[in-house]
Amino acid sequence: KAGVTQTPRYLIKTRGQQVTLSCSPISGHRSVSWYQQTPGQGLQFLFEYFSETQRNKGNFPGRFSGRQFSNSRSEMNVSTLELGDSALYLCASSLAPGQYNEKLFFGSGTQLSVL
Amino acid sequence: AQTVTQSQPEMSVQEAETVTLSCTYDTSESDYYLFWYKQPPSRQMILVIRQEAYKQQNATENRFSVNFQKAAKSFSLKISDSQLGDAAMYFCAYRSRTGNTPLVFGKGTRLSVIA
């Protein structure tokens, strides 16, 4: 069974541009979560999607948005990039959120550098 | 809001020896999960071990075991017979079993294994 796939692995953008990151969950998984990882702030929750609906959202500005498609694949978009958006963006999938034995499986992330 | 604290930014251990990574958390809830995740240089977060708060018995997974002290809100990870492949960042994480809440991560501990 293929794992969580994130594309691209690396991305370099300049301030003011926008970027779209993609996440394909494990087959059969319907829940996708996104996290931002930086050396200073650690791992911070961005948002969670289940069956194309956003279930939860972290404390990030409106420049960060996401969506989930009918095949459970998810994208996140960051508009008007700032230097502080440079980070590793991790995606995690699970069968469904809130289940007793829920397990999250993470991808290898997209490393975004904003110049 | 729940918080997770890892007080050891870096640790080192000799190969074949035992090391303990510390984690404390703050919550007013009684029903929750605790996790240890490993992040090797490949960047993929890998679940090492999970503990349900209602279980008094400490979880074990081969060479990995935890010391869960609910009253003290402490959740340490013990790695026995350390191997070179154990070198990685280790993150402690918390998730409530109730409500619609994401994983809350600590800042991580970088573990080095010395041959």
Side-chain angles (χ1 to χ4, degrees):
Chain A
K1 203 180 224 184
V4 179
T5 304
Q6 291 189 247
T7 56
R9 287 291 302 265
Y10 300 92
L11 205 49
I12 299 175
K13 293 286 187 179
T14 56
R15 279 180 300 176
Q17 287 187 308
Q18 76 166 17
V19 67
T20 299
L21 311 182
S22 178
C23 172
S24 293
I26 291 172
S27 177
H29 284 195
R30 296 166 60 198
S31 176
V32 173
S33 304
W34 289 89
Y35 290 82
Q36 181 197 64
Q37 185 178 12
T38 60
Q41 298 298 317
L43 284 136
Q44 293 185 289
F45 171 73
L46 281 157
F47 20 66
E48 178 183 30
Y49 288 89
F50 176 67
S51 293
E52 302 178 65
T53 300
Q54 187 179 86
R55 285 188 83 237
N56 205 350
K57 188 177 191 303
N59 189 25
F60 278 81
R63 299 184 298 107
F64 291 81
S65 63
R67 59 178 175 169
Q68 187 179 34
F69 302 95
S70 59
N71 62 357
S72 295
R73 189 177 72 85
S74 177
E75 290 182 346
M76 67 163 282
N77 183 275
V78 188
S79 62
T80 319
L81 283 166
E82 300 177 359
L83 296 179
D85 298 332
S86 295
L88 177 67
Y89 290 87
L90 289 165
C91 166
S93 78
S94 66
L95 283 168
Q99 288 185 331
Y100 171 70
N101 60 347
E102 179 190 11
K103 285 186 179 180
L104 288 181
F105 294 84
F106 283 82
S108 295
T110 294
Q111 183 68 54
L112 171 65
S113 298
V114 182
L115 306 178
Chain B
Q2 295 82 16
T3 59
V4 177
T5 302
Q6 294 178 251
S7 59
Q8 307 151 316
E10 296 184 358
M11 293 280 286
S12 62
V13 62
Q14 293 279 348
E15 199 175 3
E17 297 295 310
T18 296
V19 65
T20 299
L21 308 184
S22 300
C23 172
T24 58
Y25 58 95
D26 188 25
T27 184
S28 59
E29 300 177 328
S30 60
D31 199 8
Y32 49 85
Y33 297 114
L34 294 165
F35 306 85
W36 279 98
Y37 279 90
K38 169 185 177 181
Q39 187 178 43
S42 67
R43 307 178 319 194
Q44 185 178 25
M45 299 282 278
I46 302 165
L47 178 63
V48 175
I49 201 165
R50 181 176 70 175
Q51 175 81 41
E52 287 91 344
Y54 73 90
K55 289 186 177 179
Q56 292 186 334
Q57 187 174 8
N58 290 324
T60 61
E61 287 287 344
N62 301 313
R63 298 181 296 106
F64 298 87
S65 62
V66 299
N67 183 3
F68 173 47
Q69 301 290 327
K70 191 172 184 179
K73 296 180 183 175
S74 170
F75 183 61
S76 61
L77 174 70
K78 185 172 82 171
I79 306 174
S80 303
D81 185 27
S82 296
Q83 301 174 359
L84 294 177
D86 294 334
M89 283 290 290
Y90 285 82
F91 293 93
C92 179
Y94 169 102
R95 183 162 187 163
S96 171
R97 273 199 65 187
T98 57
N100 184 18
T101 57
L103 274 173
V104 177
F105 286 90
K107 291 288 181 71
T109 296
R110 181 174 300 282
L111 178 65
S112 300
V113 181
I114 304 165

